[in-house]
Every structure is written in C-alpha cells, then in structure tokens.
C-alpha cells in the first residue's frame, strides 16, 4: 500500500530505490565483487565461531565455579546468546545479503540484525521482545571479532559504487526497476551524526531519510554538500518502512513515498529527469563570471568539509573556499585527535587543491550537534554527556579550543604552515567576548613563535571572526578592531537569536531566517564592515538558498559561501539581479513586521 511520510526538505532532488534500514551506520557499506562472496561469508563465519568459542569457554568456567559466583541467570544468558548466534535466521539472512545483494560482510550482518530486530519488536511476549538487546550484543561481538574488519574500499570499488549510483538513476529513468542487485539504495535511519555522515559520504546510498534532525543540523548540511536527496525529521519513518521496501525520496518537498504505485513512480521518474535537465542547463554557467546586471561583482565561495572537497569546489566554479569546517578532520577517531603533521597535510591538500584561490580554514567547531567521541574524559562535560542539557550553549567551538590551548596551538601551527603554500584565511568560530578575542590573538602569536623557534616555515594569514552569536553582531565594531574580515554564520545566528535548537525538528517551524531580528543583525553587520572597508561574507545556509540571494544582495552583501552544489543556482540569481534596484526593496523587507510576506510579494 502506498503511503507518504512527511519531514523536512534538506537536500534537493529525487531518489528512487530500495530502503536499507540501518540501526548503525558506523560500519562500512560497499558492494563486493561476485568472486569475493565466499571470502565475505567466511569473514562472518570466523567472527561468529570466535564468539561461539568465547561463550562456550565462559560456560565451562561457570561450571567450575560455585553457585554464588556463577548465578544461574548468567548461565541461562550465555545459553540464549549461543542460541541466537547459531540461529539459522541470522546465518541464512547474512548469506542472502552477501550472495544476492553483494553487500560486504559488516553491512550484511547489520542488515540482518535490523530484520530480526523488527521481528522481536512485533512479539507479544515481553520476555522474547527483550531478547532483541541480547541479539544486538552478540552481533556487536561478532563485528568486533570479524577477521580483517571491513576491508577499506579500494579506489576502484569506490568509483564503481559512485558510478552505480549514477547509472542506477539512469536505469530508473528507463523504467528498468527490477529485483537485481543493480538498484539504487536509500538509507533510512533513526539518526545520523555528522561523523556517521563522513562514513556515509564514502558509501553507496543514493539518498537518506532520518527520524530526527533539523534543517540546518550538521547532518543536513553534510547531505547538501553531498548533493543527494535527503529528508530529516521524518519522525517515525524508520519504524514505518521495512527493509527492502521501494521508496521515493523527494528532497525538494521533504516527503518520502513508501511502496509507490506505478503511476506515482512514473510521475517521480519524470520529476527526476526534469531535475537532471535543469542541472545540465545550469552547468553551462560554470565559467560565467558572477556579475549582476548593473555590473556588481559577487564572490561565490565554497563550504567544504574535507580537503578532497576542494576539487568539487573548483569544478563548481567557486572562486575560493569561504568555509573549511575543519572539525570534520577530528571526528570518528575514537577520541584520538589529529596531530600537527596530519592536520598540516590536510590543510595543505585543500590549499593546493584550490590552485591559488583563497582557502578560509575555520578552527575546530566541535560540540553541540558535532560531538567528538571519547572526549568526555578530557573536557569534563560535553554535549556527549547525557546530563549536559544545553550542548549548543556549552563548551563549543572557540570555547572548546581555549579550554585546551595545547590542542588549539597544534591546529594553529598546522594552519599557519599550510599558509606557506597558498592564500589562507584563518577564521575563528563563535566568539562573543573581548577576552576570547584577546586570548585567541595571543595564542596565534604564540603559534607563530613556536614555529619560529623550530625554524619551520609558515605563511601570512588574513584573520576573520565568525559572527554567529547575537552578542557579536551587536558589538561588531569591537570585532572590526581586531579582524581583517567577518563571516556571518546565519545557522547559529538564527539559533541563538530565536532560541531555536537548529537540530530539533520539534521547533523547526520556528527557525526563521527572515525574522526581523535576524535580518537586522545580518544587515547591520554587513553595513558596518563595509563602512570600515573590511571584507564580510555569509557562510551559513542562507547564502546557498537562492530564495534569499536578492535580499542579501540588496543588503549590500557581495560575498556568499555555500556548498558547491548550490553555487550555480545562486549564480543564476545573481546574473538576473540588478543590485542597485534591490537596495530600497531590501530596506522595506528589513523594516516589515513580517519580512517573509514582503519577500514573497504578498505585502
Ligand atoms: C553557521 O553557524 O552558520 C555556520 C556556518 O557554522 P556551522 O553551521 O558549522 O555551525
Ligand atoms: Mg556556526
């Protein structure tokens, strides 16, 4: 039966494929070659046998203990675990996913775990229902004991997977949906963290839907950077969809259609084709300079997460990187932070990848919805700590860096060293206090002195501050005394001005870039920076949303930083705009009680 699930539209486009429900995404997902089937099945077998042996040894030692140290429940539990491990449902299912779908071993095992977990959920008997947790535990043990862990995907496999994504889309267009392994897969999960998204970036999925998340959560941001259709905040999607269901993700409307009828499928196939045509039309603008009708140059920069994204930025026609979110280098590392050399190599790769165009590297912004694993012990309470109630207001970004000067100095030295290889701008997130500015500048001076002492070469950097806390926007003159440029982080500026958690779908309807208070802070920041002849850009999601381009141009903005995938749509808007005529209109929007109505021409 066809039904639709509504959520928040976060990344454009249409994906049609089979649902893959994953409880966990921290395992590799890739397709194996048919000749690897036996080896993959064997990896699971070896892992399972190792756990069986481990549990049997435990059983033996239990029998040698007295009833006091070895309570009866423990023996019964081991028995249950052994039974679950040796159950045909688990082994046969895993074999099926590997043989018929060519999933790698970890993916097959976690997929089958999901399938069986559902069966447990549906059981009437509470005792049996609770065995789901036992199953999860034994599968976790098997994953840990599997030989060789996941083979990292070879470059060849990776590009084959990427091609498969593309050619699958083509196959759908030709109406060739069938039951072979060659169908696109879309991921349905309760939640994906930004670190999961890094894993996801290297996987095979053509789109995703999550139960939770807001429009400008970092998970949504990474989806946009991957330019794949995505819907977040779809509440109980992961409960309503079953493994292998056919689904359509409409990333423009924020809807997922489950089990679509042939007519709906045809309709979305058509929409998908239109989208592709629109993209190839826009592609022709790649080399067109971004200049308004009245001759104003507008700088379109890229937001990136990893050094390899620099190539995507150049290909999309970006004239530089306006925001390199360096924290993605720090994620998914089980608390082991990258050292100076590793960071230097990454920053240098981004700088060289831009071939002389400027790269703005933002110092680490972890915390809130970008927690670092294993960090709790070091920093005391962090957003990972369940007892920490307001992570977005906590030890985040520059606060985190200043709380650990050694870590911050390591990063600063790495960035300064990368600046010897090209044009680098150093950007500091979430500043609010004069004391934070003072401490930051002192640490930058110290990083330079450290490098001098070691006689390590480094380059000059332009220094920028993010304006993303209302307090910073209201005291922008202070910031302009110390910094060469400003970058307005509208995602957080909106969050902190309106007291709306950007990652919480329950309040996402109140997350309003057009709230008069937000617009006032943005407008005043732009005009003060310009009055003082300093650079100012917007690097929040507002900059990449073409429906705000004219307004921002009218407010005087001439530098926009966004995901590479958004650059051409925004450029098209710039090319069609007459900035001189937008000024008065933008003032009207700014002064309106409901700017949204003026913007959409309804007032
Ligand atoms: C912002 O807050 O607008 C911004 C660009 O930073 P981030 O989204 O990484 O918090
Ligand atoms: Mg921010």
């Amino acid at each position: 039966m066809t039904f639709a699930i509504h959520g928040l539209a976060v990344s454009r486009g249409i994906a049609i494929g089979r649902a893959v429900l994953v409880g966990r995404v921290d395992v590799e997902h890739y397709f194996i070659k048919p000749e690897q089937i036996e080896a993959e099945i064997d990896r699971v077998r070896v892992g399972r046998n190792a756990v069986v042996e481990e549990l049997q040894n435990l059983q033996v030692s239990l029998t040698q203990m007295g009833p006091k140290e070895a309570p009866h429940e423990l023996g019964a539990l081991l028995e249950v675990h052994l039974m679950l491990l040796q159950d045909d449902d688990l082994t046969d299912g895993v074999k099926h996913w590997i043989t018929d779908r060519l999933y790698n071993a970890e993916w097959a095992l976690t997929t089958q775990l999901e399938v069986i977990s559902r069966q447990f959920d549906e059981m009437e008997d509470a005792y049996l229902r609770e065995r789901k947790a036992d199953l999860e535990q034994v599968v976790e043990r098997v994953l840990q004991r599997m030989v060789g862990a996941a083979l990292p995907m070879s470059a060849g496999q990776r590009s084959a997977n990427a091609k498969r994504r593309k050619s699958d889309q083509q196959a759908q267009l030709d109406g060739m949906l069938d039951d072979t392994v060659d169908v696109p897969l879309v991921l349905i999960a309760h939640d994906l963290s930004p670190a999961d998204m890094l894993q996801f970036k290297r996987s095979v999925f053509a789109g995703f839907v999550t139960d939770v998340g807001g429009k400008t959560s970092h998970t949504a941001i990474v989806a946009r950077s991957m330019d794949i259709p995505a819907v977040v905040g779809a509440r109980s999607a992961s409960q309503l969809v079953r493994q292998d269901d056919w689904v359509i993700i409409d990333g423009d409307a924020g809807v997922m259609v489950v089990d679509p009828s042939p007519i709906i499928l045809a309709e979305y196939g058509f929409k998908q084709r239109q989208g592709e045509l629109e993209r190839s039309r826009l592609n022709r603008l790649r080399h067109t300079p971004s200049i308004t009708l009245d001759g104003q140059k507008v700088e379109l920069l890229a937001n990136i997460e990893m050094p390899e994204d620099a190539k995507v930025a150049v290909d999309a026609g970006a004239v530089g990187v306006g925001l390199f979110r360096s924290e993605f280098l720090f994620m998914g590392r089980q608390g082991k932070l990258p050292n100076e050399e590793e960071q230097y190599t990454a920053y240098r790769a981004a700088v060289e990848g831009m071939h002389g165009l400027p790269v703005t590297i933002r110092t680490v912004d972890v915390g809130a919805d970008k927690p670092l694993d294993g960090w709790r012990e070091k920093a005391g309470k962090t957003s990972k700590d369940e007892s920490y109630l307001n992570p977005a207001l906590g030890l985040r970004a520059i606060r985190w860096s200043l709380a650990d000067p050694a870590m911050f100095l390591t990063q600063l030295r790495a960035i300064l060293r990368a600046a010897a290889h090209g044009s680098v701008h150093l950007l500091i997130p979430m500043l609010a206090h004069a004391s934070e500015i003072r401490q930051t500048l002192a640490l930058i001076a110290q990083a330079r002195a450290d490098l001098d002492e070691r006689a390590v070469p480094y380059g000059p950097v332009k220094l920028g501050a993010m304006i993303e806390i209302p307090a910073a926007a209201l005291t922008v003159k202070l910031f302009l005394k110390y910094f060469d440029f400003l970058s307005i982080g509208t995602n957080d500026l909106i969050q902190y001005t309106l007291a709306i958690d950007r990652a919480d779908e329950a309040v996402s309807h109140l997350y309003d870039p057009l709230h008069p208070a937000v617009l006032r802070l943005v407008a005043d920041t732009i005009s003060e920076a310009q009055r003082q002849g300093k650079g100012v850009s917007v690097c929040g999601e507002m900059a990449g949303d073409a429906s705000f381009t004219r307004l921002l141009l009218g407010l005087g903005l001439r530098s926009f930083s966004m995901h590479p995938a958004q650059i051409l749509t925004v450029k098209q808007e710039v090319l069609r705009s007459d900035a001189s005529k937008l000024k008065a209109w933008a003032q009207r929007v700014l002064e309106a009680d409901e700017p949204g109505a003026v913007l959409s021409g309804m007032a």
Side-chain angles (χ1 to χ4, degrees), residues 216 218 221 323 325 327 362 365 370 396 466 468 488-493 502 539-541:
T216 54
H218 285 90
I221 286 174
L323 175 65
R325 288 185 163 96
E327 53 276 13
R362 180 177 70 182
D365 179 2
K370 288 179 287 191
R396 193 194 148 182
M466 288 204 62
E468 50 186 348
I488 307 175
T490 47
N491 306 337
D492 279 315
L493 191 58
R502 61 192 267 192
C539 65
E541 295 302 290

Side-chain angles (χ1 to χ4, degrees), residues 2 248 260-270:
T2 304
I248 297 171
S261 65
I263 292 181
I264 294 179
L265 210 50
E267 192 186 315
Y268 275 98
F270 178 73

